[in-house]
Amino acid sequence: MLQSSRMSLQQTAESVEARIAAEPASARELGTDLLSIVSVLAGDVSLRKALADASNDAEGKRALVEGLFTGQVAAGAVAVVAEAAGRRWVRPQDFVTAVESAGVTAIAAAAQSESRLGRVEEELFRFARTVEAEHELGWALASPAPADSKRALVADLLGSKAAEETVLLAQQAVAHPRGVRASEALGRYGEILAARQNRSVAEVTVAQPLSAAQQERLAGVLSRTYGRELQLNLIVDPDVVGGVRVQVGDEVVSGTIADRLADVRRRLAG
């Protein structure tokens, strides 16, 4: 995402945070409404292009948003989207991503107010890993099946044991992935949830399970290294052949034997 879009994304994030602070009891409704607008934008290329086009008049775009969504969703969600449409975006997808992130932020705030944000984060991570590991499931969720069918499948998979927010976010990720795998969309959502807890996510891949004490020590070392608290998402993969692979955002640090062998093979190949 280029600088102008990043600035607009930040402004949209600040806008939704202000609304959450002003009306915390309405955070879930705000988030649900914003994600429903994302669903409309994801399915209408002409609409998202019109709303993200900097050459179009900001007041005209506001009027378009209000005309489409007033009465369909709460006024706060309409206002957030109308304000976002008036900002500068490099690509239409950047605009949709900003609205989506605002929706996830509001859902996270609702979960946080009920002391289950950490639970939602963990459940989303586990679901993402299941989608990646079960190839038939991944294929089904990536198929051109109707969005409602995918939402129903997610509800069946997660059942009544998962938090309400987990089901909502998982359904959104699979129904409208917008060019990325569902697991990637879920990963983005997880980063937003972690940020709300003033943490970053460290995805740690190891060959064998770590004990609770080992996980605590590793979290401490990584948090000191990165200068901020990190939430460990632990992945056990025998193929790493030993060592540990850590990914924090776009940065990957790998000390696995498998990666070192792969590096040797690349060097020998020339």
Side-chain angles (χ1 to χ4, degrees), residues 212-261:
Q214 288 173 320
Q215 291 184 48
E216 184 177 351
R217 286 197 298 272
L218 180 57
V221 169
L222 292 174
S223 295
R224 288 192 296 273
T225 300
Y226 284 91
R228 59 188 185 276
E229 185 180 357
L230 294 176
Q231 165 67 32
L232 295 192
N233 282 343
L234 194 65
I235 301 166
V236 178
D237 181 1
D239 290 341
V240 302
V241 196
V244 60
R245 180 182 185 275
V246 177
Q247 179 166 350
V248 180
D250 294 331
E251 183 178 353
V252 177
V253 179
S254 183
T256 69
I257 296 173
D259 282 337
R260 289 197 292 271
L261 289 173

Side-chain angles (χ1 to χ4, degrees), residues 119 123 155 157-164 166-167:
R119 172 189 169 188
E123 288 175 346
L157 290 170
L158 291 174
S160 59
K161 293 183 178 180
E164 175 186 346
T166 304
V167 176

Side-chain angles (χ1 to χ4, degrees), residues 50-250:
L51 293 177
D53 190 341
S55 66
N56 290 339
D57 177 69
E59 284 305 313
K61 291 191 285 187
R62 176 182 292 275
L64 176 58
V65 170
E66 292 175 348
L68 285 171
F69 298 112
T70 297
Q72 304 299 315
V73 298
V78 175
V80 169
V81 177
E83 291 166 4
R87 300 186 177 106
R88 187 173 183 82
W89 305 98
V90 176
R91 303 179 308 157
Q93 285 290 1
D94 296 343
F95 164 65
V96 182
T97 295
V99 177
E100 180 184 53
S101 297
V104 175
T105 296
I107 295 297
Q112 189 174 41
S113 70
E114 298 184 14
S115 302
R116 58 173 178 247
L117 183 53
R119 172 189 169 188
V120 173
E121 182 184 353
E122 176 66 16
E123 288 175 346
L124 279 181
F125 171 72
R126 295 301 171 197
F127 182 66
R129 296 304 302 166
T130 299
V131 172
E132 286 191 341
E134 301 292 339
H135 298 302
E136 290 188 6
L137 174 60
W139 177 85
L141 295 177
S143 72
D148 287 346
S149 297
K150 294 181 182 181
R151 290 179 186 276
L153 176 58
V154 169
D156 288 342
L157 290 170
L158 291 174
S160 59
K161 293 183 178 180
E164 175 186 346
E165 297 86 359
T166 304
V167 176
L168 175 61
L169 293 177
Q171 288 177 322
Q172 184 72 23
V174 304
H176 303 288
R178 297 190 295 109
V180 300
R181 292 178 299 164
S183 57
E184 293 179 67
L186 290 166
R188 286 203 312 265
Y189 294 178
E191 290 173 2
I192 294 172
L193 269 58
R196 187 156 196 88
Q197 301 173 86
N198 296 315
R199 299 180 305 183
S200 295
V201 175
E203 188 171 283
V204 179
T205 305
V206 292
Q208 297 179 342
L210 300 181
S211 67
Q214 288 173 320
Q215 291 184 48
E216 184 177 351
R217 286 197 298 272
L218 180 57
V221 169
L222 292 174
S223 295
R224 288 192 296 273
T225 300
Y226 284 91
R228 59 188 185 276
E229 185 180 357
L230 294 176
Q231 165 67 32
L232 295 192
N233 282 343
L234 194 65
I235 301 166
V236 178
D237 181 1
D239 290 341
V240 302
V241 196
V244 60
R245 180 182 185 275
V246 177
Q247 179 166 350
V248 180
D250 294 331

Side-chain angles (χ1 to χ4, degrees), residues 1-15 87-90 94 98:
M1 190 177 289
L2 296 179
Q3 181 64 23
S4 57
S5 283
R6 283 201 299 270
M7 291 179 62
S8 295
L9 176 67
Q10 180 59 36
Q11 291 168 343
T12 302
E14 292 169 357
S15 174
R87 300 186 177 106
R88 187 173 183 82
W89 305 98
V90 176
D94 296 343

